[in-house]
Amino acid sequence: MGQILAIDYGKARCGIAVTDDMRIIASGLPTVETKFLMEFLKKYFNENKVEDLVVGLPVDLRGNLSEVETDILKFLELFSKEFPDIEIHRLDERFTSKMASFFISQSGKSKKQRQEKGLIDKVSATIILQNFLELRTR
């Protein structure tokens, strides 16, 4: 069984999380600048067996898609051409950044560490992936 990789896609940087090979635990990977995302994924996929990709669906409280969705769709088009065997899933990412900020604040990190946006993106991706895993087991 291959891993599942999740992306919290942003204009500047992307949070990334991945499961173990048994698809039980979601763990954050280093945050990657968006302009280097495909390069990072190619290298990661060469070293690891990934079968599924989960990308957050940026929806606001009214159900409207945010403007970053246009960029996400362009990325997914490139991704599906580069990696046609990897199945793509989308998952509502509402509140993941707020949840990530809350979890980080409860973790005992210093104020400076808590405000690091890359850490929030990494935790957000992990939350997206964990939510995806929970939905699959229902």
Side-chain angles (χ1 to χ4, degrees), residues 67-93:
E67 63 184 55
V68 75
E69 177 65 10
T70 303
D71 296 331
I72 293 172
L73 291 174
K74 289 177 189 173
F75 162 74
L76 290 177
E77 188 176 325
L78 289 172
F79 181 92
S80 63
K81 287 178 184 172
E82 186 72 34
F83 308 105
D85 296 333
I86 296 178
E87 189 173 348
I88 299 170
H89 308 272
R90 301 298 304 276
L91 189 72
D92 187 340
E93 65 175 41

Side-chain angles (χ1 to χ4, degrees), residues 5-133:
L5 186 134
I7 299 174
D8 179 30
Y9 192 96
K11 288 189 176 282
R13 75 196 151 273
C14 297
I16 302 174
V18 68
T19 64
D20 59 301
D21 290 336
M22 298 296 292
R23 297 181 171 200
I24 297 170
I25 299 170
S27 302
L29 294 178
T31 302
V32 176
E33 286 184 54
T34 302
K35 63 184 175 184
F36 299 122
L37 180 59
M38 283 300 285
E39 181 181 322
F40 173 87
L41 293 175
K42 286 177 189 177
K43 184 175 189 285
Y44 189 85
F45 293 166
N46 279 334
E47 298 169 0
N48 300 276
K49 183 179 179 190
V50 176
E51 293 180 352
D52 293 274
L53 173 73
V54 181
V55 180
L57 186 64
V59 182
D60 67 18
L61 293 176
R62 293 185 178 169
N64 301 316
L65 293 170
S66 74
E67 63 184 55
V68 75
E69 177 65 10
T70 303
D71 296 331
I72 293 172
L73 291 174
K74 289 177 189 173
F75 162 74
L76 290 177
E77 188 176 325
L78 289 172
F79 181 92
S80 63
K81 287 178 184 172
E82 186 72 34
F83 308 105
D85 296 333
I86 296 178
E87 189 173 348
I88 299 170
H89 308 272
R90 301 298 304 276
L91 189 72
D92 187 340
E93 65 175 41
R94 257 181 284 206
F95 306 116
T96 55
S97 292
K98 289 193 185 322
M99 289 170 59
S101 294
F102 173 76
F103 291 140
I104 292 166
S105 72
Q106 300 300 304
S107 70
K109 300 258 186 219
S110 70
K111 184 175 181 177
K112 184 177 180 181
Q113 289 172 317
R114 289 192 310 259
Q115 292 174 337
E116 181 191 330
K117 292 188 188 308
L119 180 58
I120 292 171
D121 295 334
K122 178 180 180 176
V123 174
S124 293
T126 306
I127 292 169
I128 290 168
L129 184 51
Q130 192 63 49
N131 288 344
F132 180 78
L133 290 172

